[in-house]
Amino acid sequence: MPVINLEIKSRMPYAGGQSFGEVGAYEQLDGIVHFGVDPESLANETISDIRLAPKDGQGKVGFSSDFRVLVPVDQSKGNRRLFLDILNRGKYSAAKDMNSSAAFVPDAPPDPGNGFLMRQGYSVAWCGWQHDVPEISGIMGIRVPDAATTQGPISGKVVVTFQFNTPTASQLLSDRNHRSYPADDLDDPNAVMTVQEHEDAPEEIIPRDQWSFARVEEETVVPDSQYAYLASGFQPGKVYQVIYTTTGAPVSGLGLLAIRDFGSFLRYGSTDEGNPCAGNIDHSYVSGVSQSGRFLRLFLYTGVNTDEEGRPAFDGFIPHVAGGKRGEFNQRFGQPSSQAARSTNSIFPFSDIEQTDPETGLTDGVLSRLTAQGSVPKIMYTYTPSEYWAGHGSLVHTDLTATRDLDVPDDVRIYIYAGAQHALGTFPLTCSDPSDNIRARHPINCLDHRSFMRAALVALDRWVAYGEVPPDSKYPRIADGTAVTPAKATETLRKIPGVNPPAPLRRFTRLDFGSDPGVPTQVPAGIGRIYPHVVSAVDQDGNELAGIPLPVVTVPLATHMGWNTRHADMGGEGQTLSTGGASGGTLKGSSIPFPATREEREATGDPRLSVEERYDSKEHYQDLIRKATQDLIDQRYLLAEDLEGMVSLGGRHYDLLNSAATEA
């Protein structure tokens, strides 16, 4: 087995020994897991550069990851299921997204939230997979070797992309302060910096004498191979690229094997091998959000769910808000944290079933390898409209001309959470987020879709364990008119006072990195024709017709959208708003309250009926919320335990949105 040793550094009661329903208390184990994988195994053949990694005396490639495992103290009371949560930039997501706990804070005591996963009886695990996470206590990462040839360490070009929300003069050559690739030569005349008005605008080369590899330290410019410095300053809203040569290529794809082999160890390993879950796992599920959802799409695409002994690591997958993207997780000089549009984040294929790109002649599908292996797991893709307005969400289920719906495999479900945004909503409404230095043109989306995710996990478990068919997929379809072009959808949205769609609209283009994107030979990538895409059609209020609506969308008090735009104060006015840099990050949505009264509606020319024209009272509104919630429970898109919470939340929405209490 590739897990050589599970080095447990600490064991302690989880959440101070709190008891979770009939399951009782949990134990928390933290440490380092050591791996040794066979570079010649067919199970590992899709890992880029694995054969160029150093080997030990047994011919194995060694690496190690941080891990955490939570198990019931009395495992006989557990549900015999493993839930492995893919870390997002070294941070866990499951507590926040499944348990509705507080946001992750490095090295803070764990917050169990509502204890959903524990009350269900899951053993819960995390394993580091990302080699470039910053060295911060509480952040989990992986330590992998560099690839090398007989001539020594590998050198090559790397492209780093930035978009700033505030003025600055220097920037670490990485995304979100992750580890960077240092430039080989501070004075390299062939290094290039470009600037664009937006991600699809023409590139302008900044003269080499106007920028340098340096940082600003107490108003002094200090040469530094890991920073870029622009004498005139980087302007907020514009997109910058730095293209340079670096040396040292971590075998980033070993992160895929870390997840597979740690999950497989917890499922199949014995007590003698040090497995804390030995004999207590019948089924295994894996979930990832945003970056980690894209990781799971790549995991599926590379076909690594089968371990070196031919066993499936995971029975079920929930990639959340990944859209049609993957990521730089199995690539020479990969930047796993980056979401730049012109990267291997954004390359064909997008759909599970095979298609042939009419422009390039390439034929492929996300599930092609697993289908050939005869080992396709159960998959629930869960999305929001943000991924659609980002230009790639619909590529998952339409053909490459966006004129025809594709068949969805029997083992797959696609659920779109209508009106929601990429990340959890902000409530009460606000137009700014100081933690990300952003200011939005419209109030930031306020929807919380976590209750849908809990129901999806329950449905996935019943599908895998008992063959119980899950609820039908819900997403925009061309055939029934619920999928339209972004331009068509904005015809209605433009009628709302003050609303203008993003300019320019996000889009995906064909990218050419050479014959093997895992070892790019064309850097930067060649750029081809645009992939057309669709979004959900909207009703007369601007709310989406496709997907699964939360009760507060079925019984609306506002128009909820998966996009927002940058405010003039942060540069790039009118561009799609996201955090985390150019072409990606967390896309922000909008929630634009209805007029409170008929008088207000008529004064502003708002075509949407006012709150007072729709509902007799708060009690009337909450009665409608209760009915809408019960309908979703009956359809199994929500759990019964979330009913009263939804009704209460509806009351809060009524109180605040009816008064249009937004931050200026």
Side-chain angles (χ1 to χ4, degrees), residues 571-594:
E573 181 180 9
Q575 293 182 33
T576 303
L577 175 63
S578 65
T579 64
S583 312
T586 301
L587 271 72
K588 295 295 186 180
S590 310
S591 290
I592 303 175
F594 295 156

Side-chain angles (χ1 to χ4, degrees), residues 314-447:
F314 304 106
D315 302 309
F317 287 69
I318 304 180
H320 181 54
V321 295
K325 298 175 75 172
R326 297 195 296 277
E328 297 188 22
F329 314 134
N330 185 32
Q331 172 187 323
R332 183 177 291 179
F333 303 118
Q335 301 171 70
S337 186
S338 172
Q339 298 193 71
R342 296 180 183 179
S343 77
T344 55
N345 284 306
S346 313
I347 59 175
F348 175 86
F350 309 104
S351 61
D352 286 338
I353 67 170
E354 283 194 350
Q355 296 189 74
T356 298
D357 188 329
E359 296 295 328
T360 65
L362 295 173
T363 299
D364 209 348
V366 172
L367 297 183
S368 291
R369 288 184 180 84
L370 290 173
T371 299
Q373 295 171 9
S375 58
V376 177
K378 306 297 186 188
I379 305 167
M380 287 184 169
Y381 295 114
T382 57
Y383 298 141
T384 72
S386 290
E387 294 81 66
Y388 284 71
W389 287 93
H392 55 89
S394 67
L395 300 179
V396 171
H397 54 75
T398 69
D399 74 347
L400 297 177
T401 65
T403 60
R404 179 174 63 86
D405 298 312
L406 298 176
D407 293 330
V408 175
D410 291 340
D411 292 318
V412 172
R413 291 292 184 274
I414 302 173
Y415 301 131
I416 310 302
Y417 301 147
Q421 70 174 12
H422 185 80
L424 297 175
T426 301
F427 193 76
L429 293 184
T430 177
C431 292
S432 63
D433 186 344
S435 65
D436 285 315
N437 292 316
I438 65 169
R439 186 173 181 193
R441 175 67 181 80
H442 306 298
I444 296 170
N445 192 290
C446 65
L447 300 181

Side-chain angles (χ1 to χ4, degrees), residues 14 17-27 71-74 77-78 115 118-121:
Y14 173 64
Q18 179 178 338
S19 183
F20 298 95
E22 296 180 357
V23 180
Y26 269 68
E27 183 179 33
V71 294
V73 172
D74 183 350
K77 295 181 178 179
M118 291 78 205
R119 289 185 282 109
Q120 293 281 315

Side-chain angles (χ1 to χ4, degrees), residues 208-501:
R208 186 67 176 86
D209 61 359
Q210 294 181 17
W211 71 276
S212 59
F213 291 106
R215 70 182 191 278
V216 177
E217 186 175 305
E218 297 181 353
E219 301 184 1
T220 300
V221 179
V222 180
D224 194 318
S225 63
Q226 299 188 72
Y227 282 79
Y229 167 76
L230 182 62
S232 60
F234 295 106
Q235 297 182 41
K238 293 189 177 183
V239 176
Y240 297 85
Q241 289 187 118
V242 184
I243 306 161
Y244 61 98
T245 300
T246 190
T247 298
V251 185
S252 59
L254 292 174
L256 296 166
L257 302 188
I259 294 300
R260 180 196 68 191
D261 292 331
F262 188 58
S264 190
F265 172 76
L266 294 177
R267 183 173 186 177
Y268 303 113
S270 67
T271 302
D272 290 344
E273 292 169 315
N275 179 12
C277 300
N280 288 292
I281 304 297
D282 294 331
H283 298 293
S284 184
Y285 311 130
V286 62
S287 176
V289 177
S290 190
Q291 180 213 34
S292 47
R294 294 186 289 110
F295 175 93
L296 289 181
R297 280 178 54 83
L298 183 65
F299 190 97
L300 292 164
Y301 175 63
T302 52
V304 295
N305 192 43
T306 301
D307 68 16
E308 291 182 7
E309 297 182 39
R311 303 168 302 192
F314 304 106
D315 302 309
F317 287 69
I318 304 180
H320 181 54
V321 295
K325 298 175 75 172
R326 297 195 296 277
E328 297 188 22
F329 314 134
N330 185 32
Q331 172 187 323
R332 183 177 291 179
F333 303 118
Q335 301 171 70
S337 186
S338 172
Q339 298 193 71
R342 296 180 183 179
S343 77
T344 55
N345 284 306
S346 313
I347 59 175
F348 175 86
F350 309 104
S351 61
D352 286 338
I353 67 170
E354 283 194 350
Q355 296 189 74
T356 298
D357 188 329
E359 296 295 328
T360 65
L362 295 173
T363 299
D364 209 348
V366 172
L367 297 183
S368 291
R369 288 184 180 84
L370 290 173
T371 299
Q373 295 171 9
S375 58
V376 177
K378 306 297 186 188
I379 305 167
M380 287 184 169
Y381 295 114
T382 57
Y383 298 141
T384 72
S386 290
E387 294 81 66
Y388 284 71
W389 287 93
H392 55 89
S394 67
L395 300 179
V396 171
H397 54 75
T398 69
D399 74 347
L400 297 177
T401 65
T403 60
R404 179 174 63 86
D405 298 312
L406 298 176
D407 293 330
V408 175
D410 291 340
D411 292 318
V412 172
R413 291 292 184 274
I414 302 173
Y415 301 131
I416 310 302
Y417 301 147
Q421 70 174 12
H422 185 80
L424 297 175
T426 301
F427 193 76
L429 293 184
T430 177
C431 292
S432 63
D433 186 344
S435 65
D436 285 315
N437 292 316
I438 65 169
R439 186 173 181 193
R441 175 67 181 80
H442 306 298
I444 296 170
N445 192 290
C446 65
L447 300 181
D448 183 343
H449 51 262
R450 289 179 287 190
S451 52
F452 281 144
M453 296 186 68
R454 289 190 284 272
L457 177 58
V458 170
L460 177 66
D461 178 50
R462 298 194 67 81
W463 195 12
V464 169
Y466 308 111
E468 184 176 307
V469 177
D472 292 340
S473 294
K474 296 284 187 181
Y475 58 89
R477 288 180 167 89
I478 295 168
D480 65 9
T482 57
V484 298
T485 65
K488 180 66 175 177
T490 58
E491 290 177 4
T492 298
L493 298 171
R494 286 178 186 274
K495 297 175 184 177
I496 302 171
V499 172
N500 287 304

